[in-house]
């Protein structure tokens, strides 16, 4: 075998010689570390004396299907490869070069492997892509601005990505590993293929166990690839149920990338059943697209969280006063009407001040949460619940006929003084009495105070906070 020792040492950065052993069909021993320069050796062993030549690459780094795939491609095509990607294992961006080398052993294909890592992405390096990929990425960015509806934009984006990859299906799945939740953001598939079914039909509670295997498949890299039965067999060792389902669905090739933001995986994008001779192009397309989409998805999630926080009472989980003001304003301005007939209910917690003073504010908070829970349990299709003050709640029920309104009112009356539960006073008004929502609220509020006065007359042990003068 050619001696590349001096050649290796001319590299200032990390470099090694790899060999793809053609006499070995598959497995770690097909990909060997022949030799490395001092910079490489210091990254894989504690002492230079510990370094061994001509050993499986897994002696020095963990098994990585993406690494093997790129080695295989470089060896079989005889063309140099350059990749730049976010590697979770090191929480860094890695720029990697694979260069085919001459070999005097016909059973071994030699590759110069060199890389550099940086903690942050370099935009110039990300932009160093083929003209075809660049065109596709530009189209993706433009699609994201076609409409203000993010999810509608993503439907258009995933359709374009599937077309670019020539695949039968492309999907994006969002994940929340902290809360063990997931959801389908968008998908596109070939409607003419009878084997293709909506992803929703597979998204059962049990599917989360499948999602949990994906980090092990990607294995701290940035993607996982299946291009042949050998890849399927290797993946089956880690995710047997998922691979069985892929085979059942007729999937023979697949590329899946993780979507990451703030060093967390927030989802996955994948393409399935594509021409395997286009694997490199597809990986380049999904790689750069996943970087852009990760930022867009994270931004959309943050905006949604901010909207929720600005309109939600953090103690009870119902809408807050700001949300109520916006709702009433929208009705008055005509931008989002409260559909008639409607009902309005004012609820005020009884005994809150006394509980706070005698048992502490934690007990008072529990009282408020108990009332909110009672209101959330109300039977009805159109029930909007707001906490509008320290001890006050408002319920608006759009599209509620008088009979349904009376049922909700009766349910509240039955639950307002249950033993071992929070007590509250209820006042109500239906739009049949007054179809101006603000005046209906005033009527309900006045009636609630009448009920509250009667309650405190029966319970002198409680001090009435904010009693009308």
């Amino acid at each position: 075998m050619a001696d590349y020792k001096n050649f290796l040492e001319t590299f200032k950065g990390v470099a090694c010689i790899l060999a793809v052993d053609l006499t070995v069909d598959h497995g770690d021993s097909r990909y060997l570390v022949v030799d490395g320069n001092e910079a490489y050796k210091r990254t894989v062993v504690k002492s230079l004396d510990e370094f061994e030549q001509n050993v499986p690459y897994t002696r020095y780094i963990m098994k990585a299907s993406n690494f093997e795939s790129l080695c295989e491609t470089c060896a079989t095509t005889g063309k140099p490869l350059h990749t730049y990607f976010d590697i979770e294992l090191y929480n860094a961006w890695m720029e990697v070069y694979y260069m085919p080398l001459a070999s005097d052993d016909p059973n071994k294909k030699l590759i110069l492997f060199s890389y550099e890592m940086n903690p942050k992405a370099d935009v110039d390096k990300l932009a160093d892509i083929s003209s075809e990929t660049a065109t596709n990425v530009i189209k993706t960015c433009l699609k994201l601005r076609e409409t203000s509806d993010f999810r509608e934009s993503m439907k258009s984006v995933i359709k374009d990505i599937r077309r670019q990859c020539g695949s039968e299906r492309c999907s994006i799945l969002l994940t929340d590993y902290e809360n063990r939740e997931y959801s389908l953001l968008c998908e596109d598939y070939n409607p003419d293929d009878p084997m293709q079914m909506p992803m929703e039909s597979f998204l059962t509670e049990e599917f989360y166990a499948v999602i949990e295997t994906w980090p092990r498949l990607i294995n701290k890299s940035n993607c996982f690839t299946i291009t042949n039965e050998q890849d399927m067999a290797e993946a089956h060792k880690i995710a047997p149920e998922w691979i069985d389902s892929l085979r059942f669905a007729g999937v023979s090739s697949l590329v899946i990338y993780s979507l990451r933001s703030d060093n967390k995986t927030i989802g996955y994008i994948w393409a399935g059943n594509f021409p395997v001779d286009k694997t490199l192009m597809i990986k380049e397309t999904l790689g750069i697209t996943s970087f852009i989409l990760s930022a867009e998805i994270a931004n959309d999630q943050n905006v949604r969280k901010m909207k929720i926080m600005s309109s939600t009472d953090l103690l009870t989980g119902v809408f807050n006063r700001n949300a109520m003001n916006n709702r009433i304003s929208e009705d008055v301005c005509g931008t989002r009407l409260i559909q008639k007939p409607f009902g309005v209910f004012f609820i005020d917690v009884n005994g809150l001040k006394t509980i706070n003073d005698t048992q502490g504010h934690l007990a008072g908070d529990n009282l408020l949460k108990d009332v909110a829970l009672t209101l959330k349990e109300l039977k009805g299709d159109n029930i909007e619940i707001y906490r509008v003050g320290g001890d006050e709640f408002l319920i608006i029920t759009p599209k509620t006929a008088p009979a349904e309104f009376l049922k909700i009112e009766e349910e509240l009356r039955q639950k307002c003084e249950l033993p071992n539960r929070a007590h509250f006073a209820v006042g109500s008004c239906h739009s049949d009495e007054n179809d101006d929502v603000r005046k209906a609220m005033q009527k309900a509020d006045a009636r609630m105070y009448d009920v509250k006065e009667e309650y405190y007359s029966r319970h002198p042990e409680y001090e009435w906070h904010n009693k009308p003068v």
Side-chain angles (χ1 to χ4, degrees), residues 296-348:
E296 292 289 337
I297 291 169
N299 181 64
D300 179 69
Q301 290 177 335
N302 288 335
V303 169
R304 289 174 182 272
K305 287 178 183 177
M306 289 175 64
K307 285 182 178 178
I308 291 172
M309 290 180 67
S310 69
S311 62
T312 303
D313 177 57
L314 298 182
L315 176 65
T316 62
V318 301
F319 291 122
N320 60 18
R321 187 179 186 86
N322 181 54
M324 180 205 71
N325 289 335
N326 290 336
R327 187 71 178 97
I328 301 304
S329 177
E330 289 171 344
D331 180 73
V332 172
C333 296
T335 56
R336 188 166 70 103
L337 294 174
I338 297 172
Q339 291 182 282
K340 301 172 185 176
F342 63 80
V344 172
F345 301 86
F346 253 104
I347 294 94
D348 197 295

Side-chain angles (χ1 to χ4, degrees), residues 8-188:
L8 272 175
E9 293 304 333
T10 62
F11 277 79
K12 292 183 179 180
V14 175
C16 71
I17 303 295
L18 302 172
V20 178
D21 190 342
L22 304 181
T23 64
V24 180
D25 289 336
H26 61 275
D28 304 351
S29 57
R30 180 175 171 86
Y31 309 97
L32 308 174
V33 175
V34 177
D35 202 355
N37 65 3
E38 184 173 333
Y40 175 80
K41 293 175 183 177
R42 291 191 183 281
T43 67
V44 296
V45 293
K46 294 180 180 178
S47 170
L48 296 180
D49 296 337
E50 298 175 7
F51 184 81
E52 294 184 50
Q53 298 178 329
N54 299 304
V55 295
Y57 80 97
T58 48
R59 176 75 62 88
Y60 301 124
I61 64 172
M62 67 170 59
K63 185 175 179 62
S65 63
N66 193 35
F67 171 81
E68 294 179 9
S69 174
L70 290 168
C71 286
E72 199 72 42
T73 301
C74 182
T76 54
T77 64
K79 295 180 180 180
L81 299 177
H82 169 239
T83 63
Y84 187 66
F85 58 92
D86 178 15
I87 183 165
E88 182 183 352
L89 176 63
Y90 301 109
N91 191 24
W93 283 83
M94 179 178 282
E95 184 174 22
V96 183
Y97 295 91
Y98 297 81
M99 297 285 292
L101 301 175
S103 173
D104 53 18
D105 184 344
N107 291 321
K108 288 185 178 178
K109 299 286 187 177
L110 298 184
I111 300 168
L112 172 69
F113 173 75
S114 178
Y115 69 86
E116 179 182 342
M117 285 196 294
N118 292 289
K120 294 184 178 180
D122 186 319
V123 175
D124 290 334
K125 292 177 180 178
L126 276 170
D128 185 16
I129 52 180
S130 69
S131 59
E132 181 181 6
T133 301
T135 300
N136 290 338
V137 170
I138 291 172
K139 287 182 179 179
T140 297
C141 293
L142 293 174
K143 289 283 185 181
L144 286 168
R145 299 295 176 264
E146 279 187 334
T147 172
S148 59
D149 188 322
F150 178 72
R151 290 182 176 262
E152 285 301 313
S153 295
M154 289 303 301
K155 289 179 182 178
S156 181
V157 164
I158 205 68
K159 186 174 183 178
D160 261 14
I161 293 174
R162 185 178 79 83
R163 180 187 57 78
Q164 293 161 10
C165 295
S167 63
E168 290 293 312
R169 177 189 291 272
C170 277
S171 306
I172 294 180
L173 198 74
L174 302 182
T175 55
D176 181 351
Y177 282 108
E178 290 182 2
N179 296 307
R180 296 179 61 83
E181 296 175 350
Y182 71 93
S183 62
L184 181 68
L185 175 61
C186 57
E187 69 172 338
D188 190 68

Side-chain angles (χ1 to χ4, degrees), residues 313 315-316 318 348-350 352 355-356 361-375 387 389-393 422:
D313 177 57
L315 176 65
T316 62
V318 301
D348 197 295
V349 183
N350 289 327
L352 180 62
I355 295 296
N356 279 334
H361 284 276
L362 180 59
D365 287 348
N366 289 333
L367 206 67
L368 290 165
K369 288 190 282 188
D370 188 48
V371 172
L373 179 62
T374 298
L375 302 185
R387 182 183 174 200
D391 53 4
E392 291 183 329
F393 293 83

Side-chain angles (χ1 to χ4, degrees), residues 389-404:
D391 53 4
E392 291 183 329
F393 293 83
L394 167 71
I395 297 176
I396 301 175
T397 61
K399 295 175 64 176
T400 304
E404 182 66 23

